Amino acid sequence: MIRLWALSDFTCLKTLEGHANSVLQIVFVSRGMQLLSSDSDGLIKLWTIKTSECVKTLDEHADKVWSLALSNSQEIMLTGGVDSVLNIWKDVTEEEEETARMAVEDQLMKEQELSNLLQRKQFTKAISLALTLEQPLRTLNVIKDILFEEQGEEELARTLKDLRDDQIDVLLKFLCDWNTNAKHSRVSQLVLSLILKQHSPTWLTERPEIKERIEALLPYTERHMERMNRLLQQSMFLEYTWQSMKLAISTDANENTFAGDILYQKSNIQTPGSVSWPGRLKYLTYINENLQSLYFLLAFVGDVYLLLKTKSKKKENDSGIIKLQDFMFAVIVFPLGMLVCFVFWSIYAVDRELIYPEILDNIIPKLCNHIMHTAVAIFLVLEAFLVHHKFPSTGISLPAGLLFSLSYFLWMVYQKHFLSEWPYPFLDEFTIFHHVVFVLVCFAFQCAFYFLGKYFTNLRQKIVAPEKLKRKAK
C-alpha cells in the first residue's frame, strides 16, 4: 500500500492499493501526475495519482527490486533486483497510440472498400474482405445482401466456391456463432449446406478444428430442426382448421347433411400427414375406415338383392354377393376393425403423444376420434350378433387375414425405406427386435379377434336356431 501525504497539514491525500508485499522504491514521473513503485515480489507498477489506479504492472524480476532510476527525458527506466538482473525499459506509449490510430484508419478504409464492393456487386471480393476483417456480423450482413439479389442462392454458391481454404475455415467458425441464434439459423444452415455440397468429406476431415466445429453445430442444428417440424405441424393444423371453417360455411345443400360432410371432408380437407404421397393411405385407421364403408355398402347391396329375389327359389347363401360379404366380414372387416381399436386405445393408454397428440383435441372433436376408434368396434359386435354370417373354413380365412395384415406391415417398411419416416412416431423408438415382437403380437390379437367373431356367430346360431324350430313346430 502507498500513501500520499500533504506536508502542510500532514493529512493523507491518496491511498494506492495493489502491492501484496512491501514497497521498496517510488519515483514520480509525468511531471508528478504518475508514479512508479517496486516491491519485494519483483513487480513494478505505474500509478495515475488522480484516479488512484494502477495502469500498468511490469513483471520481469524474480525477486526484490531495490533499484529504480529514470533518464532525464523519462523515456528510459533502469531497474535492478536481488535476482542479479538489470532491466532497461522504454516508454512506447506514443508508438502504441500511433499504431492503434493507424489500425482504426485502416479498418475504416476497409469498411468503406467493403461497402463499395457490395454496391458494385463484387460479392466474392466483398465476402473475402469481410472474412479478412474477422467480423462475423459484417460477414453475415454481406451474405444476406447476396441472398436478397435475384437468384441469390446461386450467386452465394458461386461466391463460396471461389473462397480459399483458410477463408472457409474462418467462415465455419462464424457459422458456429450464427447457428446459436434462431434468427440467423436459416442463413447459417444454407451456407453450411453449400459448403458440404461443394467439398468432399476427405477435404472436410482435413480442416483444422473440424471436430470442435461439428460438435458446436450439431446441438443447435437439431434444435432448429425440431422447431421447424413443430412449425410445419402447426401450419398443417392451421390449414386443417381453415378447411374446416370453409366446410362449416359451405353453401352447397348436399354438404349440409352428415353424409355430405364426410364426403366433403374426405375430398377437400388436408389433414396433417395427408399433403404428400402417400397421404392418408399411410394410416391403418384410414384403410380400415374405407374397408368398413365398402363392407356396409356391399351389405346394403346384398339386402336389396335379397329383397328383389324374395320370390326366387334360391337360398340366401346361394348368392355370390352374400358369400363375398361373409368372406370380407370374417377375414378382414371384423378382425382388422377390432385390432385397430384395440391397438389404438392400448398405445393411447400408455402415452397418447405416441399415437394421438393432445394438440389434436383442439382441432379434431373428441366425437370424431371415438367414431374412428370406438364406434367401429361397437358396430362390428352388433353386426356379429344381429346378422347371420357363415364363416369360411379357418384354414383359408385366417391365413388370408394375416396375409392382408402382413401386406400393411410391408407397406409401412416401404414408407420408412423410401420416404424416410414411419407412419406412426412410436415406431421410431423401436429396434428391429421390437418391430418383430410388435408384428407378432398384432398377429396374435388378430387371430384372437377372428375366433371371437366366429364365437359370436356360433352364439347367435345357438340363440336363433331354437326359436326357428319352435316356430316350425307350431
Side-chain angles (χ1 to χ4, degrees), residues 73-113:
S73 62
Q74 295 188 349
E75 293 182 357
I76 303 296
M77 178 177 66
L78 179 66
T79 60
V82 178
D83 54 359
S84 302
V85 174
L86 288 175
N87 287 324
I88 300 175
W89 307 83
K90 182 180 179 181
D91 185 4
V92 292
T93 304
E94 293 183 358
E95 288 83 348
E96 290 179 351
E97 291 178 351
E98 181 65 19
T99 302
R101 184 184 63 80
M102 293 179 63
V104 171
E105 291 179 356
D106 183 61
Q107 185 82 2
L108 292 175
M109 291 181 63
K110 288 182 177 180
E111 289 183 357
Q112 182 61 44
E113 182 182 358

Side-chain angles (χ1 to χ4, degrees), residues 238-258:
L238 182 61
E239 175 68 16
Y240 178 85
T241 305
W242 168 243
Q243 295 291 351
S244 299
M245 292 171 63
K246 290 171 62 178
L247 173 63
I249 61 175
S250 176
T251 57
D252 191 342
N254 292 332
E255 292 171 3
N256 291 330
T257 64
F258 178 73

Side-chain angles (χ1 to χ4, degrees), residues 263-283:
L263 292 175
Y264 182 80
Q265 183 178 1
K266 285 182 176 295
S267 59
N268 290 277
I269 295 179
Q270 293 181 341
T271 55
S274 67
V275 176
S276 58
W277 167 258
R280 300 187 188 93
L281 288 175
K282 68 171 71 172
Y283 301 119

Side-chain angles (χ1 to χ4, degrees), residues 323-387:
K323 291 181 180 179
L324 178 59
Q325 177 183 339
D326 290 341
F327 183 82
M328 281 189 63
F329 183 81
V331 174
I332 299 176
V333 173
F334 187 86
L336 185 64
M338 297 296 291
L339 180 66
V340 168
C341 297
F342 174 79
V343 172
F344 175 83
W345 288 114
S346 298
I347 299 175
Y348 187 97
V350 175
D351 185 0
R352 66 170 299 177
E353 297 298 323
L354 297 176
I355 191 75
Y356 194 83
E358 188 175 358
I359 191 174
L360 288 176
D361 291 341
N362 299 325
I363 298 172
I364 303 176
K366 292 183 179 180
L367 178 62
C368 293
N369 180 28
H370 285 292
I371 289 175
M372 292 186 293
H373 299 109
T374 305
V376 172
I378 296 174
F379 286 129
L380 288 175
V381 172
L382 292 175
E383 173 76 9
F385 269 115
L386 299 179
V387 181

Side-chain angles (χ1 to χ4, degrees), residues 92-210:
V92 292
T93 304
E94 293 183 358
E95 288 83 348
E96 290 179 351
E97 291 178 351
E98 181 65 19
T99 302
R101 184 184 63 80
M102 293 179 63
V104 171
E105 291 179 356
D106 183 61
Q107 185 82 2
L108 292 175
M109 291 181 63
K110 288 182 177 180
E111 289 183 357
Q112 182 61 44
E113 182 182 358
L114 180 60
S115 300
N116 296 336
L117 291 172
L118 287 174
Q119 190 173 6
R120 293 194 295 266
K121 297 186 178 181
Q122 297 179 357
F123 297 119
T124 302
K125 293 183 178 180
I127 199 170
S128 299
L129 182 57
L131 292 171
T132 303
L133 294 173
E134 292 193 359
Q135 294 184 351
L137 183 59
R138 195 61 188 268
T139 307
L140 177 64
N141 292 332
V142 171
I143 294 176
K144 287 183 177 179
D145 290 339
I146 297 174
L147 292 175
F148 280 133
E149 297 292 325
E150 187 176 357
Q151 298 181 346
E153 292 190 14
E154 292 78 1
E155 183 66 36
L156 179 60
R158 289 192 294 269
T159 302
L160 295 179
K161 194 172 183 179
D162 295 334
L163 294 179
R164 302 191 307 272
D165 290 351
D166 60 314
Q167 293 174 333
I168 295 293
D169 296 337
V170 176
L171 188 57
L172 287 173
K173 177 183 176 182
F174 290 170
L175 286 179
C176 298
D177 295 331
W178 302 343
N179 203 46
T180 59
N181 192 329
K183 183 171 63 176
H184 307 318
S185 61
R186 177 184 174 274
V187 176
S188 63
Q189 292 298 317
L190 177 60
V191 174
L192 180 62
S193 174
L194 293 174
I195 293 175
L196 295 177
K197 290 177 181 178
Q198 293 175 356
H199 298 86
S200 65
T202 304
W203 181 88
L204 289 171
T205 56
E206 295 173 353
R207 307 322 308 153
E209 300 182 354
I210 188 63

Side-chain angles (χ1 to χ4, degrees), residues 32-74:
M33 301 300 294
Q34 294 179 310
L35 64 82
L36 286 163
S37 60
S38 63
D39 64 13
S40 300
D41 294 328
L43 299 178
I44 301 168
K45 292 181 178 290
L46 175 64
W47 304 84
T48 298
I49 297 176
K50 184 177 181 180
T51 60
S52 302
E53 292 181 355
C54 176
V55 295
K56 194 72 174 179
T57 299
L58 309 176
D59 185 10
E60 291 294 336
H61 287 278
D63 208 337
K64 302 175 181 178
V65 180
W66 284 104
S67 177
L68 193 156
L70 294 173
S71 65
N72 294 331
S73 62
Q74 295 188 349

Side-chain angles (χ1 to χ4, degrees), residues 298-341:
L298 188 64
F300 173 76
V301 173
D303 291 341
V304 173
Y305 175 82
L306 293 177
L307 183 62
L308 296 176
K309 296 293 184 178
T310 51
K311 296 182 181 181
S312 175
K313 296 181 180 180
K314 293 183 179 180
K315 298 181 180 180
E316 293 182 6
N317 294 338
D318 293 337
S319 171
I321 296 179
I322 301 302
K323 291 181 180 179
L324 178 59
Q325 177 183 339
D326 290 341
F327 183 82
M328 281 189 63
F329 183 81
V331 174
I332 299 176
V333 173
F334 187 86
L336 185 64
M338 297 296 291
L339 180 66
V340 168
C341 297

